[in-house]
Amino acid sequence: MKSKPRTPFLRATVTGLTPGRARPLALALSCVLLTACASVGPDYREPPPVDVGSGWSLPLASESQSADLSQWWSALDDPILDRLMATALAQNLDLRQAAARIDEARALRDRVAGEALPTAAAGASVNRRRQSENGPLPVGSIPGLDATQTIYDAGFDAAWEADLFGARRRALEGASARLQATEAEAQGVRMRVVAEVARTWFTAVGARYELHAQQATLDTLQQTLELVRLRHALGDASAADVDAAYAQWTAVNALIPDIQARQRAAILSLGVLLGAPPERELALLDGPLTPSTLRALPVLPVGERAEMLRRRPDVLAAERRLAASSADIGVATAELFPKLSIGVGGGFQALSTGDWFDASSSRFSILPLISWRLFDGGRVRAEIRAREAAERQAALAYEQAVLTALGDAERALGDYHGGLDTLERRGMALDAARTSYGHAKARYAAGDIALVELLAAQRSLHEAETAAARAHTNAAVQLVALYKALGGGWDVSTTASTATHPLRGAAAPVAFSSR
């Protein structure tokens, strides 16, 4: 058999183009690629300044001071609360869902980044076919050409679309900003979970102390009722006195089930917050009383308003969504301009396995393609207007987030200020009740008053203890709300990447202004 001439593999052949025509086309394509340096659409700029006022309307401490709010609950020195927090941060299902959303957003960002790279595929096939001898190709009249053929093919195909006007870069900016917004929202979930665990635990502990005080009051009323009944039997008290003492006892006794239900409901809620069955922490119902909510509550160094806003995950997320909306305008604008794509293919094709990978069986092609949408009924420009309107919405949503954060913080400051004031007054009332009870005990020991009067003073003391415990619980819950409103519960320094602008690495602005 006559040997076939050997030719170099992938020799410089452009399908359909002679060397003389290929050079000008290559030069033109190079010039186009060199001019593809700028991205169309607006570059992201800082959002318009939002007036945050001149300072807090009810400062609880110097605005120049600031506290580390990342793990604020540790300052309460409550081992049980520390354990609950650690478990919730590791197992809470809302936090795990937030982590999954971050993974999803990161994967979407990586997919957008991958679209800027070439795609390549390889394949091999064996095609056994028979052509009609009566078809358009006169197989039967061509000497040496069989109607039945087996074609062996192996090769690769690659394609790449040049990002001439920055559509891919803008898309990557938007995807990166959305990832950062998702990360900020996850920190917001963490902040809410921390606050909810603390609030629920303080509610459970407060109910425990309230139950303890009410049971003491009930015991005192029980003694009073028995004494009145004895005096009635001796003729020293009327039946109306017995009925009045019994009415007081039944009124307090009716409060016990509600307090027990509130305590149990709080403990059951803790189990769910820890990512476990509700009954997981029911043993806390029978545990020792914890003094965490009876300690002196702190007066917070709240810092400046702008500092608080930089800690708020909802404000950070709104700013990042605004950046994403700005990038979307560039993606839509790029559709007005030409697109350049280049396809490359090569491989081996033969009619027999012996010649399959011979150099003479090689094939190669390159196909540059320029496309330009000349008329589309105004759809692209309508899309650009829609993206611009979405950016305006995002800017307004950012301003709304700033004002909402300010409102939350101011309300929380006011509530906590009122809670501390109420707690102080309840403390004064408790001190007065203790003093009065001490005098009553001394007078009863001296025989100056009857046992009924001593029990009345004791009952007043228990009622003051109940009111003080309730006021302390309310103030503790309001303290949690204040920590949450100030953006406490997560470490801003560990997520500094959230405040970096995608691709440029510059700090993303969070704009505020003061009067």
Side-chain angles (χ1 to χ4, degrees), residues 209-224:
Y209 275 98
E210 186 178 346
L211 179 63
H212 180 75
Q214 291 287 14
Q215 286 175 337
T217 302
L218 191 64
D219 292 341
T220 301
L221 290 173
Q222 179 68 37
Q223 296 178 43
T224 304

Side-chain angles (χ1 to χ4, degrees), residues 418-436:
L420 290 179
D421 190 18
T422 301
L423 181 59
E424 181 181 2
R425 299 186 185 196
R426 288 296 184 185
M428 295 170 59
L430 179 58
D431 291 339
R434 285 170 177 167
T435 301
S436 177

Side-chain angles (χ1 to χ4, degrees), residues 158-179:
W160 176 61
E161 182 177 330
D163 192 18
L164 296 180
F165 299 96
R168 300 288 171 80
R169 289 190 291 277
R170 293 300 192 196
L172 182 57
E173 287 181 13
S176 299
R178 288 185 173 89
L179 169 60

